[in-house]
Amino acid sequence: MSATTHLSEGNVADREIVLTRLLDAPRELVFKVWTDPKHIEQWWGPHGFTATVHEMAVKPGGTWRFLMRSAEHGDFPNKVVYREVVAPERLVFDHGADGDDEAGTFLVTVTFEEEDGKTRLTQRMVFKTAAERDETVAFGAIELGYQTLDRLGAHLATL
């Protein structure tokens, strides 16, 4: 079993973070903005961060590599490997640092549900252990995640 296989197995309540937001845009547009590098670079990351996409192949087995940069906090190279892509409904991927090992990798499921012309986006992150989840929460991941969704909403409002 690979290091990431067990992420989707068993009870995950103590290992997950769930973020949700109702966005004032149709789900096809929200999905496109989430999967197009030109859009990603306009909104991805918390306040004060930029994102530079180096590679983005949105398909099962495809890779998305990007660099998040903050003048205050430095550089954060990221790597995503897609498990499942069902446009415009769902993305499932492994997300971690862009390195040779899978340490710190977590499973992400993003769903895009139509709701009266708007989109209910739910992002579920499942960590290998409760301790990894707790460390991520202590780092501020929930607030930073909602800042990223705020930026997504603001970007959508410009389209």
Side-chain angles (χ1 to χ4, degrees), residues 43-145:
W43 66 268
W44 187 269
H47 300 303
F49 279 79
T50 60
T52 303
V53 176
H54 298 294
E55 170 186 5
M56 191 173 202
V58 184
K59 61 183 181 181
T63 301
W64 170 24
R65 284 189 165 90
F66 62 98
L67 178 68
M68 288 178 50
R69 175 170 283 157
S70 162
E72 182 179 347
H73 302 289
D75 292 350
F76 299 89
N78 287 257
K79 178 182 174 185
V80 163
V81 177
Y82 292 97
R83 291 184 179 200
E84 186 179 350
V85 176
V86 182
E89 300 172 15
R90 180 176 56 255
L91 296 168
V92 180
F93 52 84
D94 295 310
H95 187 168
D98 193 1
D100 292 334
D101 61 29
E102 294 181 356
T105 299
F106 53 97
L107 179 67
V108 180
T109 301
V110 183
T111 57
F112 306 81
E113 297 176 275
E114 190 171 329
E115 195 170 300
D116 297 323
K118 299 181 181 184
T119 303
R120 174 143 330 261
L121 185 143
T122 302
Q123 183 178 1
R124 174 171 272 110
M125 296 162 274
V126 179
F127 297 83
K128 292 175 189 164
T129 67
E132 284 184 24
R133 182 246 183 228
D134 293 347
E135 287 174 23
T136 303
V137 168
F139 176 75
I142 294 171
E143 173 61 28
L144 298 173

Side-chain angles (χ1 to χ4, degrees), residues 32-46:
K32 177 182 179 180
V33 166
W34 193 281
T35 57
D36 181 329
K38 291 176 188 168
H39 286 288
I40 286 285
E41 290 185 344
Q42 301 301 309
W43 66 268
W44 187 269

